[in-house]
Amino acid sequence: MYETEAECAYTLFVVATFWLTEALPLSVTALLPSLMLPMFGIMPSKKVASAYFKDFHLLLIGVICLATSIEKWNLHKRIALKMVMMVGVNPAWLTLGFMSSTAFLSMWLSNTSTAAMVMPIAEAVVQQIINAEAEVEATQMTYFNGSTNHGLEIDESVNGHEINERKEKTKPVPGYNNDTGKISSKVELEKNSGMGTKYRTKKGHVTCKLMCLCIAYSSTIGGLTTITGTSTNLIFAEYFNTRYPDCRCLNFGSWFTFSFPAALIILLLSWIWLQWLFLGFNFKEMFKCGKTKTVQQKACAEVIKQEYQKLGPIRYQEIVTLVLFIIMALLWFSRDPGFVPGWSALFSEYPGFATDSTVALLIGLLFFLIPAKRLTKTTPTGEIVAFDYSPLITWKEFQSFMPWDIAILVGGGFALADGCEESGLSKWIGNKLSPLGSLPAWLIILISSLMVTSLTEVASNPATITLFLPILSPLAEAIHVNPLYILIPSTLCTSFAFLLPVANPPNAIVFSYGHLKVIDMVKAGLGVNIVGVAVVMLGICTWIVPMFDLYTYPSWAPAMSNETMP
């Protein structure tokens, strides 16, 4: 190894060590490349600084504008409650309803804030069921009397200061997966676990466990579906488009096309696995028609209905936010769908100039322009006149939601990747890994997927993918394999942090409610991890192959001849 490569490798080692141990905040560690790369003479400071703000950051800003408006006007709660009401109150269908609504929300919002928003609703539903069982035992009633138990009503500050404390620790920020805030101390979680309630029956306790795990896992699974759903997807997309600018095959529509089937299968299999593990899986009971609802089911339906009614009729601000949300999604999908020309063809003179961030910024600016309500004042004559208007979101509200720590972390990863490329370290790593070309491609993919899945249980998801991308890309090039063939499954598997409460913030949020033990999460998470890796392996060998011609080494990859894998 030459001197420049060695110095870059040392920089990579120092940054990786700090990211894994979290001796410094992750975003502070991400600033180290801006200090070390110029000092070692690998890259000039101006060039390093330019890596800290890229197209990714513009896309993030637009998405945060949307997410800020969604949460400000409570559109997310309306969507979640409506979806749960649609699936019914049978325990199995209820958990599926919560998983579906949570996964849908996490496609567009932060996984962390989605879990923090849905979990109090699920907790109130479960406690209402437990309360109904107690009432039946006490009064021998055969139906729930419909009275409101104020102790079980959902409140934005459920469990008081504990909820506020959790929000401060995890800093839920919509629009990305805020998994940089790995919970470093399991003791803190165990302290919060003391808020658990008493369970009259074992089934009540098991139901609480099941609901907690459903919320945590579905918030992570939903984030797989869109490029903006989680920060690891965004990091991969920006890294890939920067390293392979001639590809132009990875955009919002193409990502959704291959990831949605995978996420849907993982969600359904995870639901089946959790149902079987905790409650058993009785198909006859689930699909039995005309059955009279039990007291618990009536109680569950009642609390969901009450919470939906509290929202009142849909407001003007929610309608506008929903319309802008739909327009943004449609523009993303139709920019360059692949099977037909998209609207980007209108700017054929400037190919590749308009990206997903263009759409995000266009819609994001509208949130600051469209009025949410008029501001009025009373004149000396007693006349009420409008003197100004309040937009859908304000800059102060946007700033409170914008994840600047993620922006810096991602920028540090890009700077590190540029340093590896400039110093020749990436090429050196690729040459050293070239003997792996003798292994079957599927085995290399499986090994890399298992490696990132294991590491992400104890390290930040963004840090994990940032460390592996500069290694896996040269590996793919060295062994003449389409880079997407290795990078796509590795990126998806980086989100599979299901085993431990400290693995990601959604796990920590549900664990803090006190219903779960670590062993519960390990048993359930191991099954979901296996399901996730298996489905990703299935997808990369079947429906994803023709989308990107994965069995052929592409012309957009550097200095390799086109040849088909054996």
Side-chain angles (χ1 to χ4, degrees):
M1 182 184 292
Y2 299 103
E3 181 180 355
T4 307
E5 289 94 325
E7 289 170 339
C8 187
Y10 174 72
T11 303
L12 180 63
F13 173 76
V14 171
V15 173
T17 301
F18 278 105
W19 270 340
L20 294 177
T21 61
E22 296 188 44
L24 289 174
L26 296 176
S27 53
V28 175
T29 300
L31 294 173
L32 290 179
S34 64
L35 172 68
M36 300 179 71
L37 294 178
M39 287 181 62
F40 284 131
I42 298 172
M43 291 174 65
S45 184
K46 287 184 178 180
K47 193 169 183 179
V48 176
S50 65
Y52 279 82
F53 198 92
K54 294 196 174 186
D55 189 60
F56 157 86
H57 297 85
L58 299 177
L59 176 61
L60 184 63
I61 288 172
V63 170
I64 294 301
C65 291
L66 169 66
T68 303
S69 184
I70 287 176
E71 293 214 6
K72 177 181 178 180
W73 301 111
N74 262 341
L75 180 60
H76 58 321
K77 181 177 284 188
R78 186 179 298 276
I79 292 172
L81 290 172
K82 189 64 177 179
M83 291 184 70
V84 172
M85 290 171 65
M86 288 171 61
V87 298
V89 294
N90 180 285
W93 294 119
L94 182 67
T95 53
L96 181 61
F98 269 109
M99 291 184 75
S100 301
S101 58
T102 304
F104 176 78
L105 290 173
S106 67
M107 290 167 59
W108 316 101
L109 303 177
S110 155
N111 297 359
T112 304
S113 49
T114 299
M117 183 276 297
V118 177
M119 190 58 211
I121 301 174
E123 175 76 359
V125 170
V126 172
Q127 294 306 321
Q128 193 78 328
I129 293 174
I130 294 175
N131 181 71
E133 291 177 345
E135 197 162 334
V136 169
E137 291 180 8
T139 63
Q140 298 298 313
M141 292 177 64
T142 58
Y143 61 91
F144 186 59
N145 60 16
S147 62
T148 303
N149 187 330
H150 297 285
L152 298 176
E153 289 183 349
I154 300 175
D155 187 77
E156 292 297 325
S157 57
V158 176
N159 293 322
H161 69 278
E162 290 90 349
I163 288 291
N164 294 331
E165 182 179 346
R166 287 200 300 277
K167 288 184 178 179
E168 289 177 6
K169 288 180 182 177
T170 57
K171 295 183 180 178
V173 180
Y176 76 102
N177 183 4
N178 184 15
D179 43 23
T180 60
K182 292 281 180 175
I183 309 300
S184 58
S185 172
K186 195 172 86 174
V187 176
E188 292 181 3
L189 294 177
E190 290 176 345
K191 285 181 180 178
N192 285 343
S193 67
M195 70 180 80
T197 56
K198 300 295 182 182
Y199 313 103
R200 298 185 62 85
T201 64
K202 182 179 179 180
K203 184 179 179 181
H205 189 189
V206 168
T207 303
C208 291
K209 291 181 180 182
L210 174 63
M211 196 64 74
C212 286
L213 292 171
C214 285
I215 301 303
Y217 294 164
S218 57
S219 66
T220 299
I221 294 169
L224 302 173
T225 312
T226 60
I227 283 184
T228 59
T230 176
S231 57
T232 54
N233 296 354
L234 282 168
I235 293 169
F236 163 70
E238 180 63 29
Y239 174 87
F240 184 85
N241 290 328
T242 301
R243 187 177 179 88
Y244 308 108
D246 295 331
C247 178
R248 295 176 190 166
C249 58
L250 201 64
N251 53 47
F252 191 92
S254 62
W255 181 278
F256 184 86
T257 303
F258 75 76
S259 63
F260 180 76
L264 183 61
I265 295 172
I266 294 172
L267 188 73
L268 290 175
L269 292 180
S270 299
W271 170 62
I272 293 172
W273 161 248
L274 293 173
Q275 286 291 322
W276 177 83
L277 186 63
F278 289 99
L279 293 180
F281 211 79
N282 190 334
F283 282 97
K284 183 179 179 181
E285 187 76 14
M286 286 176 56
F287 295 100
K288 191 172 182 179
C289 299
K291 183 182 177 182
T292 304
K293 292 182 180 178
T294 64
V295 174
Q296 293 92 331
Q297 292 172 351
K298 289 181 179 180
C300 181
E302 183 65 23
V303 71
I304 294 174
K305 182 180 178 181
Q306 288 175 2
E307 288 308 311
Y308 189 79
Q309 290 174 344
K310 285 180 184 178
L311 296 175
I314 189 168
R315 296 170 293 174
Y316 157 77
Q317 296 90 341
E318 292 177 80
I319 294 174
V320 174
T321 300
L322 182 61
V323 169
L324 291 177
F325 163 65
I326 294 172
I327 292 174
M328 180 184 283
L330 290 176
L331 288 175
W332 271 337
F333 280 116
S334 60
R335 180 174 70 86
D336 187 15
F339 54 91
V340 293
W343 59 262
S344 61
L346 299 174
F347 308 96
S348 56
E349 295 181 9
Y350 313 104
F353 280 38
T355 64
D356 289 335
S357 64
T358 309
V359 174
L361 282 178
L362 173 64
I363 303 299
L365 289 174
L366 294 179
F367 286 104
F368 292 99
L369 296 175
I370 297 177
K373 56 185 177 182
R374 291 187 303 171
L375 302 179
T376 59
K377 64 179 180 180
T378 304
T379 64
T381 60
E383 183 182 1
I384 299 176
V385 296
F387 69 94
D388 201 356
Y389 73 91
S390 173
L392 287 170
I393 62 173
T394 64
W395 180 252
K396 187 175 182 180
E397 291 166 341
F398 166 79
Q399 280 189 308
S400 67
F401 278 86
M402 180 64 188
W404 298 112
D405 54 341
I406 278 288
I408 295 174
L409 173 67
V410 174
F414 294 152
L416 203 57
D418 289 349
C420 292
E421 197 67 28
E422 289 284 333
S423 66
L425 180 61
S426 293
K427 187 176 180 181
W428 182 87
I429 292 173
N431 291 334
K432 294 299 179 183
L433 295 176
S434 58
L436 293 177
S438 60
L439 296 176
W442 67 267
L443 184 57
I444 297 175
I445 296 170
L446 180 61
I447 292 172
S448 61
S449 298
L450 292 176
M451 285 174 62
V452 297
T453 302
S454 301
L455 183 59
T456 198
E457 297 291 350
V458 294
S460 156
N461 294 3
T464 301
I465 193 64
T466 303
L467 288 175
F468 271 89
L469 286 175
I471 297 173
L472 295 177
S473 293
L475 168 62
E477 295 164 10
I479 62 177
H480 293 229
V481 171
N482 190 321
L484 287 171
Y485 201 37
I486 294 179
L487 296 182
I488 285 177
S490 298
T491 300
L492 294 176
C493 289
T494 306
S495 296
F496 294 161
F498 299 123
L499 284 180
L500 300 172
V502 297
N504 64 21
N507 290 5
I509 288 172
V510 301
F511 188 82
S512 65
Y513 276 76
H515 303 305
L516 294 165
K517 294 181 180 179
V518 174
I519 189 63
D520 296 323
M521 192 165 280
V522 170
K523 287 193 299 183
L526 183 61
V528 178
N529 267 343
I530 294 172
V531 166
V533 174
V535 172
V536 168
M537 289 296 297
L538 175 65
I540 205 66
C541 295
T542 52
W543 70 82
I544 303 178
V545 173
M547 292 181 58
F548 302 106
D549 196 14
L550 294 181
Y551 289 159
T552 302
Y553 192 81
S555 59
W556 43 258
M560 296 291 180
S561 59
N562 290 343
E563 50 183 82
T564 304
M565 294 191 321

